[in-house]
Amino acid sequence: VSQGARSLVFAAQQGAGFELYEARWAAQLRTRRPTLVGLTRLTINVMDEFAPSVTADGQWIAFSSGLGIEVVGSGEGGARHLLVPTVEEYRDFAPVISPDGKEIAFVSDRGGVPELWIYDRGSRQARQVTTGLAVLGGVAWRADSRQLVVTTGATPSGRTGIALVDPVSGSSRIITEEEDRNASFSAVGDRILFCSTRDGDADLYVLTLSTGQTQRLTFSAGVDDNPVFLAPSPALPPPDSTTDQNE
């Protein structure tokens, strides 16, 4: 999701493979409910493209493909650039481009175990960020590109949890460990949304970082996962009493 450009990039199956698509969200005329408009296909290829992420201005999209980790310019016919080629000896996955577009965080086991790595688009170099955090995925940037959240398996309880990571120093802090995963930051970075099976089903929770208070948001019998915050916009209806925690 691009907060600035009000766009959504996703992978969908087209024929035998997965391709990338982009759409913008707006409000329906009658109901004012969010809806997607202006669907654009970004890739046409015989190989799969998946796990896309987009910069805050919507100009660049990072994703995984059979070739490795790539970026592509937004819009139909955007130029593709291979940044981290696939190597048989290790696995790179879950690429997430920073909101400012300068770096791409991803998970790699090239050091022996899966940890967080960052590719710098300026220097064209990748560096290991975390050590001993056993990163499982669930990588997301804060809006100012100065902090990340990841899903970790290295918790004291042995259950999956959420950790905050400094992308410069590599320091980390585990903030949940109750079978939690796939977190994202609020627009100002004061809260995180995440999925958890702590109460049985996979539901969504919000955590206020300053207080450590957690609130359950969904009570679905199905799976609720991969949540993101949407920044306020005149194009979208104002939140009501049932949705004000995750709009």
Side-chain angles (χ1 to χ4, degrees):
V1 175
S2 168
Q3 301 291 358
R6 316 303 299 173
S7 64
L8 173 72
V9 180
F10 59 94
Q13 190 166 8
Q14 181 67 31
F18 283 84
E19 302 290 347
L20 301 185
Y21 294 81
E22 180 182 26
R24 300 187 184 277
W25 70 75
Q28 296 177 357
L29 291 178
R30 289 188 177 182
T31 66
R32 304 300 296 167
R33 292 183 179 276
T35 185
L36 295 180
V37 297
L39 183 65
T40 301
R41 183 172 175 175
L42 299 176
T43 60
I44 301 176
N45 203 299
V46 295
M47 69 182 68
D48 288 336
E49 287 97 3
F50 51 95
S53 62
V54 62
T55 54
D57 60 9
Q59 295 301 303
W60 288 100
I61 298 156
F63 61 97
S64 291
S65 74
L67 298 176
I69 296 174
E70 301 186 57
V71 294
V72 63
S74 177
E76 188 174 0
R80 293 175 61 157
H81 305 275
L82 179 62
L83 304 183
V84 184
T86 296
V87 177
E88 292 185 1
E89 287 76 14
Y90 47 78
R91 180 174 176 239
D92 302 323
F93 61 98
V96 182
I97 196 165
S98 60
D100 61 15
K102 295 180 180 180
E103 298 178 310
I104 298 170
F106 62 98
V107 183
S108 178
D109 61 1
R110 61 181 65 194
V113 294
E115 295 290 348
L116 185 69
W117 287 65
I118 287 181
Y119 176 90
D120 184 277
R121 295 182 69 189
S123 66
R124 299 182 180 181
Q125 297 294 319
R127 59 183 175 85
Q128 184 173 342
V129 177
T130 62
T131 301
L133 195 58
V135 179
L136 304 176
V139 181
W141 290 88
R142 200 169 66 186
D144 61 4
S145 302
R146 294 183 177 180
Q147 194 173 50
L148 299 108
V149 285
V150 300
T151 302
T152 175
T155 65
S157 68
R159 295 177 289 181
T160 59
I162 307 298
L164 300 175
V165 178
D166 185 312
V168 177
S169 68
S171 62
S172 62
R173 178 167 65 93
I174 295 172
I175 56 175
T176 76
E177 51 175 314
E178 298 185 55
E179 299 294 353
D180 312 316
R181 63 179 186 265
N182 298 338
S184 66
F185 283 102
S186 64
V188 296
D190 61 336
R191 295 175 294 165
I192 63 165
L193 278 172
F194 62 95
C195 170
S196 180
T197 57
R198 59 178 63 190
D199 294 313
D201 293 321
D203 282 301
L204 303 185
Y205 297 75
V206 61
L207 168 67
T208 301
L209 295 174
S210 61
T211 64
Q213 182 179 2
T214 300
Q215 178 183 354
R216 185 176 179 178
L217 299 179
T218 62
F219 297 81
S220 172
V223 176
D224 299 323
D225 203 351
N226 294 298
V228 294
F229 278 92
L230 297 183
S233 168
L236 296 176
D240 59 31
S241 59
T242 62
T243 60
D244 61 357
Q245 292 297 324
N246 61 348
E247 287 290 313

